[in-house]
C-alpha cells in the first residue's frame, strides 16, 4: 500500500469516528470552538441539519481574524492549484445562496487588480488566462475600461488590470453575527467569554469539552480557532504548521460613494461597503524591526493606543489617495491587526484528528471566501459520517510544505 492510499484509509477511519453517535434525544452534540466567520458558518449548517450545537469563544464573535480581514470573496489567480480554485468557486456561489437566505451584507460588482512592473503584469495576464480555462469569466481590461468601471480612479493611461466580475466583499462582523443568530434560531447556544481548555475522553471517545466556565458534554468538537497556535496540539494532538502573519485593516467613517468594486492597486486594497465605509487593507505586513517585533508579541488584535492606530490608518489613506483622490477627505474610524490563519502550504486544514477522531479541525486562510461551502461540507462529514472526496487535499494528515503564492 503506497503512502497516499494509506493516508486515505487512515482519514476514512478517522472520519468514521465522526459518524453519528446520537444521544437519547437523537441529536449529535457538537461544540464549535471559535466564533469567527468559519465557526459561525459551521455552527449554522450543523444546527440547521439538526445537531445540538454549542459555540464557544474566548472573547466573542468576530473579534480576531474575522474582524481584521479585508473580506474579499473571490476565486482569483492566487487560488492554486485547480482543486483549491474550484473549492473557492464553490465558496463564491454559496455566498450568493447565503446572502439570499439570511439577508447578509454582501456587495457584488467584481474586482480590479494590477501590479507595478511589466514582468508582474505579464504574469498576471497569464494567470488570468488560466482562470478563464478554469471557468472564471475574468479578463484583462485597459485604462479606458477601468475608467468606465471605476470613474473615481486616477491611473496612468498605460495601466491594464485584471477584471473579475464574480467577486464581492462582505462586512465580516455582521455576517458572522447573522450566521450565529440563524444558528441560535435552530437551537444553537453561543457562549462567550468561554475559553477552550481541554477535552475529556472515555473509552477513546470524546466525553466532554472542558472550558473556562465548566464542562460541556459533547460527541464532537470542531476547532475553528484560526491562527491560535495552541488548540490543535493541546486538544487534537496534532501539529498544524502555520506561517500566520499580521495584516492591517483600516476603516473610514461613512462617506459618499467612491468605489463600486474591489480595487487591488499597488500597495493598497480598497472596497466600500453599502454603509459608505471604505475598507483599506495591505499585505506587506509590519516592518521587520525590533520595535514592531516587541509590539506584536502575544499577537495583539488592537494597536497599543488610538494615536498609533491613526498613524497606520493615515498612512494607508495616503497610499489610497494616489489612486482615489477623493478619499483624501475621509475621516479615519478604526484600524485592526488581523492575524491570518495560514497553514504552511496556504491551504485549509479540514478533517478529523487521527489521535482524537472526535476532534475535527477547520483552520484556514481564505476563511471569508470559503466559509459557506466549508460550513456545508463539515456539517455533512460530522452528521452523516460522509467522507467527501473533494476535501482530501486538505486533511490534517497531509505533508505540509511551505508554499507562498501571494
Amino acid at each position: 500500500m503506497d503512502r497516499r492510499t494509506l493516508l486515505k484509509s487512515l482519514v476514512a477511519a478517522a472520519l468514521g469516528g465522526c459518524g453519528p453517535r446520537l444521544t437519547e434525544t437523537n441529536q449529535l452534540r457538537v461544540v464549535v470552538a471559535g466564533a469567527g466567520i468559519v465557526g459561525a458558518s459551521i455552527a449554522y449548517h450543523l444546527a440547521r441539519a439538526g445537531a445540538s450545537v454549542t459555540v464557544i469563544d474566548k472573547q466573542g464573535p468576530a473579534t480576531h481574524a474575522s474582524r481584521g480581514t479585508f473580506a474579499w470573496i473571490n476565486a482569483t489567480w492566487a487560488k492554486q492549484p485547480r482543486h483549491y480554485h474550484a473549492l473557492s468557486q464553490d465558496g463564491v456561489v454559496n455566498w450568493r445562496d447565503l446572502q439570499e437566505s439570511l439577508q447578509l451584507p454582501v456587495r457584488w460588482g467584481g474586482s480590479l487588480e494590477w501590479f507595478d512592473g511589466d514582468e508582474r503584469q505579464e504574469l498576471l495576464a497569464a494567470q488570468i488566462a488560466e482562470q478563464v480555462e478554469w471557468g472564471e469569466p475574468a479578463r484583462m481590461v485597459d485604462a479606458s475600461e477601468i475608467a468606465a468601471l471605476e470613474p473615481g480612479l486616477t491611473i496612468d493611461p498605460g495601466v491594464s488590470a485584471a477584471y473579475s466580475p464574480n467577486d464581492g466583499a462582505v462586512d465580516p462582523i455582521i455576517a458572522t453575527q447573522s450566521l450565529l443568530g440563524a444558528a441560535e434560531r435552530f437551537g444553537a447556544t453561543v457562549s462567550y467569554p468561554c475559553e477552550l481548555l481541554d477535552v475529556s475522553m472515555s473509552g477513546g471517545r470524546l466525553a466532554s469539552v472542558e472550558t473556562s466556565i465548566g464542562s460541556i458534554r459533547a460527541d464532537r468538537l470542531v476547532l475553528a480557532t484560526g491562527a491560535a497556535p495552541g488548540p490543535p496540539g493541546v486538544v487534537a494532538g496534532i501539529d498544524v504548521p502555520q506561517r500566520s502573519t499580521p495584516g492591517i485593516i483600516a476603516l473610514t467613517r461613512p462617506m459618499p460613494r467612491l468605489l463600486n468594486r474591489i480595487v487591488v492597486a499597488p500597495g493598497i486594497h480598497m472596497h466600500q461597503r453599502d454603509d459608505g465605509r471604505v475598507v483599506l487593507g495591505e499585505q506587506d505586513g509590519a516592518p521587520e524591526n525590533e520595535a514592531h517585533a516587541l509590539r506584536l508579541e502575544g499577537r495583539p488584535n488592537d494597536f497599543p493606543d488610538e494615536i498609533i492606530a491613526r498613524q497606520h490608518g493615515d498612512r494607508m489613506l495616503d497610499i489610497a489617495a494616489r489612486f482615489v483622490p477623493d478619499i483624501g477627505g475621509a475621516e479615519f474610524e478604526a484600524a485592526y491587526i488581523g492575524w491570518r490563519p495560514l497553514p504552511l502550504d496556504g491551504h485549509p486544514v479540514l478533517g478529523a484528528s487521527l489521535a482524537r477522531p472526535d476532534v475535527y479541525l477547520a483552520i484556514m486562510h481564505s476563511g471569508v471566501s470559503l466559509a459557506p461551502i466549508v460550513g456545508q461540507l463539515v456539517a455533512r462529514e460530522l452528521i452523516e459520517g460522509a467522507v467527501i472526496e473533494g476535501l482530501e487535499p486538505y486533511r490534517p494528515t497531509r505533508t505540509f510544505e511551505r508554499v507562498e503564492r501571494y
Side-chain angles (χ1 to χ4, degrees):
M1 180 182 294
D2 61 28
R3 184 177 184 278
R4 183 178 178 85
T5 303
L6 174 62
L7 284 177
K8 288 180 69 173
S9 300
L10 291 172
V11 168
L15 289 174
C18 286
R21 178 162 60 91
L22 304 182
T23 65
E24 306 81 46
T25 59
N26 293 321
Q27 282 187 300
L28 191 72
R29 300 169 301 187
V30 185
V31 172
V32 178
I37 198 164
V38 172
S41 178
I42 292 171
Y44 164 69
H45 285 95
L46 281 168
R48 184 180 180 186
S52 174
V53 179
T54 302
V55 183
I56 62 173
D57 195 278
K58 183 177 180 179
Q59 188 172 351
T63 49
H64 297 282
S66 295
R67 183 184 67 164
T69 176
F70 186 63
W72 180 8
I73 301 169
N74 69 80
T76 66
W77 56 267
K79 306 298 177 69
Q80 297 284 340
R82 189 166 187 173
H83 63 74
Y84 183 44
H85 191 272
L87 184 66
S88 299
Q89 286 177 312
D90 288 342
V92 173
V93 170
N94 279 274
W95 262 114
R96 293 186 179 274
D97 294 339
L98 266 186
Q99 180 186 20
E100 183 177 350
S101 59
L102 298 182
Q103 299 300 299
L104 297 180
V106 184
R107 182 174 179 84
W108 302 102
S111 67
L112 290 165
E113 181 175 15
W114 72 97
F115 296 90
D116 279 332
D118 293 341
E119 185 176 347
R120 186 61 187 88
Q121 283 289 95
E122 290 173 5
L123 177 58
L124 177 63
Q127 290 165 328
I128 294 305
E130 181 181 62
Q131 277 195 281
V132 172
E133 292 180 5
W134 291 354
E136 279 293 302
R139 56 191 172 90
M140 298 299 295
V141 295
D142 61 18
S144 62
E145 191 165 358
I146 294 171
L149 291 167
E150 283 292 349
L153 280 179
T154 297
I155 57 171
D156 293 335
V159 167
S160 61
Y163 174 44
S164 301
N166 277 354
D167 295 0
V170 64
D171 183 327
I173 296 176
I174 294 178
T176 300
Q177 293 170 341
S178 296
L179 284 162
L180 290 173
E184 287 179 308
R185 291 193 291 275
F186 282 110
T189 298
V190 180
S191 181
Y192 62 90
C194 179
E195 183 178 2
L196 172 66
L197 300 178
D198 207 341
V199 294
S200 293
M201 309 294 291
S202 177
R205 303 302 299 270
L206 179 66
S208 62
V209 174
E210 308 307 320
T211 78
S212 57
I213 62 172
S215 180
I216 304 172
R217 291 178 60 82
D219 305 304
R220 306 287 182 269
L221 168 64
V222 177
L223 294 181
T225 47
V234 172
V235 177
I238 189 169
D239 177 37
V240 176
Q242 294 199 45
R243 51 183 175 91
S244 300
T245 55
I248 300 171
I249 295 296
L251 298 177
T252 72
R253 296 193 185 280
M255 56 192 309
R257 178 61 49 192
L258 298 178
L259 296 169
N260 301 313
R261 292 163 183 81
I262 297 151
V263 174
V264 183
I268 199 75
H269 298 177
M270 304 171 273
H271 68 82
Q272 191 169 15
R273 295 175 180 167
D274 285 339
D275 64 9
R277 287 177 170 84
V278 178
V279 182
L280 304 172
E282 62 178 2
Q283 283 190 320
D284 291 341
E288 294 185 6
N289 57 47
E290 185 177 353
H292 279 87
L294 289 172
R295 186 178 295 167
L296 293 172
E297 280 186 347
R299 298 191 175 194
N301 293 110
D302 295 298
F303 290 93
D305 55 52
E306 177 69 17
I307 293 174
I308 294 176
R310 183 174 293 275
Q311 289 172 345
H312 281 278
D314 288 344
R315 174 178 54 81
M316 295 168 72
L317 281 168
D318 287 343
I319 300 172
R322 300 175 194 170
F323 305 102
V324 185
D326 288 347
I327 206 172
E331 294 182 46
F332 170 82
E333 181 171 271
Y336 308 118
I337 305 170
W339 290 88
R340 294 169 289 186
L342 192 59
L344 201 61
D345 55 13
H347 289 158
V349 177
L350 292 164
S353 165
L354 295 182
R356 290 178 170 172
D358 293 330
V359 179
Y360 191 107
L361 290 87
I363 297 170
M364 68 202 71
H365 185 48
S366 293
V368 168
S369 291
L370 296 177
I373 186 64
V374 162
Q376 289 188 39
L377 297 180
V378 171
R380 279 192 56 202
E381 291 208 323
L382 290 173
I383 291 180
E384 300 173 16
V387 180
I388 297 174
E389 185 72 19
L391 295 184
E392 182 187 341
Y394 314 117
R395 300 303 187 192
T397 50
R398 70 182 185 264
T399 299
F400 289 86
E401 298 177 354
R402 187 180 184 92
V403 180
E404 297 189 26
R405 298 181 175 87
Y406 33 81

